[in-house]
Amino acid sequence: MAGRTERASACSRDAGLVERAVVAACSGAQALVPSSSTVLVACSGGADSTALAVALSALAREKPALALTVVLGHVDHGLRDGSSRDADLVRALAARLRVPFHHLRLSSLHLEVAREGLERAARDARHAALALLAREASATLVATAHTRRDQAETLLLRLARGAGPSQLAGVRARRRLAAGVWLVRPLLNVSRAATEALCAREGLEIVDDPHNHDEARARTRVRRLLPSLAAELNPRLEQALARAAALFAEEDELVQGLAEEALTRARRGRHEFDAAGLAALHPALLRRALLAAALEAGCRPEQGHLESVRAALAHRGARAWELHVPRGVVRLTQTSLCFAARQARRENVAPLSMELAITGPGRYAWNGRLLVLSEGRDRGTLVDETRAPFPWTLRGHRAGDRFRPGGGRAKKVADQWIDARVPRAERAALPLLADKSGILFYVGGLRAGEPSKGKLERPFALQWTSEMDAASAGLCTVLG
């Protein structure tokens, strides 16, 4: 009995570490999550992101003065069977926490994986999807649940790959994700044990992604080695690595500022710089300045490319010099250094498929439009909730979708749009609504479905407007 009591006490204590980290992230003049923010929690269904979602939504309820709006966002990479179950799990969590849920399934990631490898392709696509979900939710912040273990793994991986000082700063607590959207990480000083303890305390089901156990991934192998390294070198190795990353981050900020000042002095055009001015820089500043200039132009050079450019600057002659780097090219003459991006080829890449959960009355932003859903017989399209039960899914068209309009028979949506003379260019932006069972009952551009016909026992009214019109009317907040 005493043992169980001690374990329960330890579990509660660890769970509290997550909650305290979230409170700290929302406090002070330099808060990661300032008051009055709308924050989209990137939730995979794993222990870390589930714990962050629970703690942040609880704080928003318990501290109304913070005026925080919390939204759950889930990105389905579509890379393994059963991934849709993860989305269902996060949708259920959002319903339990009484917060809106936004879902996006990536429809073409296999093509990107073939080009760039699993980890980079998944990360880049996920970040693009999260930025899109944030805009749909009117969120300025995206919160991810990277923990102290993620930080330690990242630092070890980058050391093994011979990374430079900026990379050794590890995972940053805050960085720009897209225009008007910032990525924040409130749990960087929290252990994985703490997030698991919070989920256990709340009795929450969590996802265990099989990719996390794939020995083909370098991160998986590092994760397996960490306990033995800690036993041999330092029992608090994870904390030590995280502290080292924090120190690197502070020094990196200083060097980056000096490099940007040097780059400003050397600038001769948008992506053109004075070669002599750059060549005179200290090697540490020069590497950083070259990287900043390349990234600004859309290029992605690696460390070896930067060393080649540095050597070319030191020995430049009358003949022009050129180096192709990932996504671009560097050109050097006797007087100037230029960076130019190469447009990435993206043939046959399908668009992202946006899904939004509709759990009841409220206002929902989707694809530049605003859906206002109200209970009763207000103006708009009426739908009987007893025949189209919640939660609904608001999404775009999929190949093979079938729809039964009121008084008609089920046919392919694409065929019905042709019959209704809906222009092909407009179809991708039209909204579709499916009920709890996935049955379509509303299709933009077509007459209403069967749940809108006859006697309505529990009617809900659908009204659509553009987000621009909604903003002018003060309606653009997503309330869910």
Side-chain angles (χ1 to χ4, degrees):
M1 179 67 75
R4 285 199 298 270
T5 302
E6 289 175 3
R7 285 194 297 272
S9 176
C11 179
S12 178
R13 183 173 59 251
D14 285 347
L17 295 175
V18 178
E19 294 161 329
R20 286 197 290 277
V22 167
V23 169
C26 299
S27 306
Q30 302 298 319
L32 280 179
V33 183
S35 299
S36 305
S37 297
T38 296
V39 54
L40 182 134
V41 179
C43 189
S44 65
D48 298 338
S49 58
T50 297
L52 176 60
V54 169
L56 197 53
S57 59
L59 181 64
R61 287 194 304 272
E62 294 164 6
K63 302 285 186 181
L66 291 174
L68 293 179
T69 299
V70 178
V71 180
L72 260 59
H74 178 77
V75 179
D76 181 354
H77 295 83
L79 291 174
R80 58 182 173 82
D81 294 337
S83 62
S84 60
R85 180 183 175 276
D86 300 350
D88 293 337
L89 196 65
V90 180
R91 180 183 284 108
L93 176 64
R96 171 173 172 164
L97 299 177
R98 300 190 299 279
V99 299
F101 172 67
H102 290 242
H103 173 217
L104 192 149
R105 180 179 174 83
L106 303 176
S107 56
S108 59
L109 189 53
H110 286 90
L111 298 173
E112 298 299 325
V113 168
R115 291 188 187 104
E116 301 191 47
L118 175 62
E119 291 196 46
R120 171 174 280 190
R123 182 183 63 247
D124 291 350
R126 180 168 59 252
H127 285 172
L130 288 172
L132 181 57
L133 288 175
R135 293 191 182 101
E136 291 291 335
S138 300
T140 55
L141 298 175
V142 172
T144 63
H146 291 81
T147 63
R148 192 171 63 206
R149 188 179 76 175
D150 295 309
Q151 185 71 288
E153 292 169 357
T154 298
L155 186 56
L156 283 176
L157 277 170
R158 291 179 179 177
L159 278 169
R161 292 167 181 166
S166 64
Q167 290 295 301
L168 295 182
V171 182
R172 310 301 178 103
R174 184 177 188 269
R175 76 171 185 81
R176 186 175 177 272
L177 182 63
V181 182
W182 287 83
L183 186 68
V184 296
R185 298 175 171 113
L187 303 185
L188 274 181
N189 290 317
V190 174
S191 69
R192 178 64 188 268
T195 63
E196 291 175 338
L198 189 146
C199 293
R201 187 192 71 187
E202 300 295 322
L204 294 168
E205 183 182 359
I206 57 175
V207 172
D208 185 15
D209 188 343
H211 284 134
N212 291 333
H213 306 286
D214 182 1
E215 287 289 327
R217 300 177 67 217
R219 184 174 291 271
T220 301
R221 298 194 296 275
V222 167
R223 184 172 300 151
R224 175 171 50 79
L225 290 172
L226 261 174
S228 58
L229 285 174
E232 293 288 338
L233 301 174
N234 181 356
R236 297 175 63 82
L237 179 63
E238 188 177 286
Q239 293 93 320
L241 290 170
R243 279 198 308 273
L247 292 174
F248 281 128
E250 289 181 357
E251 296 189 3
D252 176 66
E253 185 177 349
L254 173 63
V255 176
Q256 184 66 25
L258 295 173
E260 288 174 358
E261 290 175 6
L263 205 58
T264 299
R265 291 193 297 270
R267 190 180 295 274
R268 300 174 65 175
R270 187 179 180 191
H271 300 306
E272 181 181 0
F273 302 90
D274 175 58
L278 291 177
L281 293 176
H282 186 282
L285 287 182
L286 178 55
R287 291 188 193 94
R288 190 64 60 89
L290 291 174
L291 179 60
L295 294 176
E296 177 189 283
C299 307
R300 283 193 175 182
E302 297 175 357
Q303 191 66 34
H305 299 125
L306 297 179
E307 291 303 317
S308 295
V309 176
R310 194 167 71 84
L313 275 168
H315 302 95
R316 63 191 185 282
R319 294 182 60 183
W321 178 87
E322 186 173 281
L323 176 68
H324 287 267
V325 301
R327 300 194 183 183
V329 62
V330 186
R331 297 186 177 93
L332 175 66
T333 68
Q334 197 165 15
T335 59
S336 67
L337 181 70
C338 300
F339 296 84
R342 183 170 55 249
Q343 188 65 38
R345 298 175 62 188
R346 301 183 64 85
E347 303 93 337
N348 302 319
V349 176
L352 297 176
S353 174
M354 171 64 69
E355 292 187 4
L356 182 61
I358 308 295
T359 55
R363 296 189 280 272
Y364 301 85
W366 184 86
N367 201 24
R369 300 185 180 198
L370 192 75
L371 167 63
V372 181
L373 179 63
S374 55
E375 189 170 5
R377 299 180 182 274
D378 294 342
R379 288 178 300 173
T381 302
L382 298 182
V383 177
D384 185 359
E385 193 268 336
T386 63
R387 287 182 278 165
F390 290 116
W392 298 347
T393 300
L394 172 58
R395 61 174 176 82
H397 175 247
R398 298 173 186 161
D401 273 337
R402 300 181 72 84
F403 173 62
R404 179 173 178 261
R409 62 186 181 85
K411 292 174 57 180
K412 286 187 176 180
V413 169
D415 293 341
Q416 294 187 60
W417 274 335
I418 292 172
D419 294 341
R421 297 185 178 179
V422 175
R424 180 184 292 273
E426 297 178 6
R427 297 173 195 170
L430 291 175
L432 285 73
L433 282 166
D435 66 14
K436 181 179 181 179
S437 301
I439 299 173
L440 291 175
F441 63 87
Y442 176 93
V443 176
L446 302 179
R447 55 197 174 103
E450 188 275 333
S452 297
K453 301 298 181 182
K455 183 179 178 181
L456 306 183
E457 296 182 19
R458 193 174 178 216
F460 282 78
L462 310 176
Q463 296 184 65
W464 292 94
T465 185
S466 73
E467 286 193 68
M468 186 176 295
D469 293 341
S472 65
L475 296 173
C476 213
T477 302
V478 179
L479 299 180

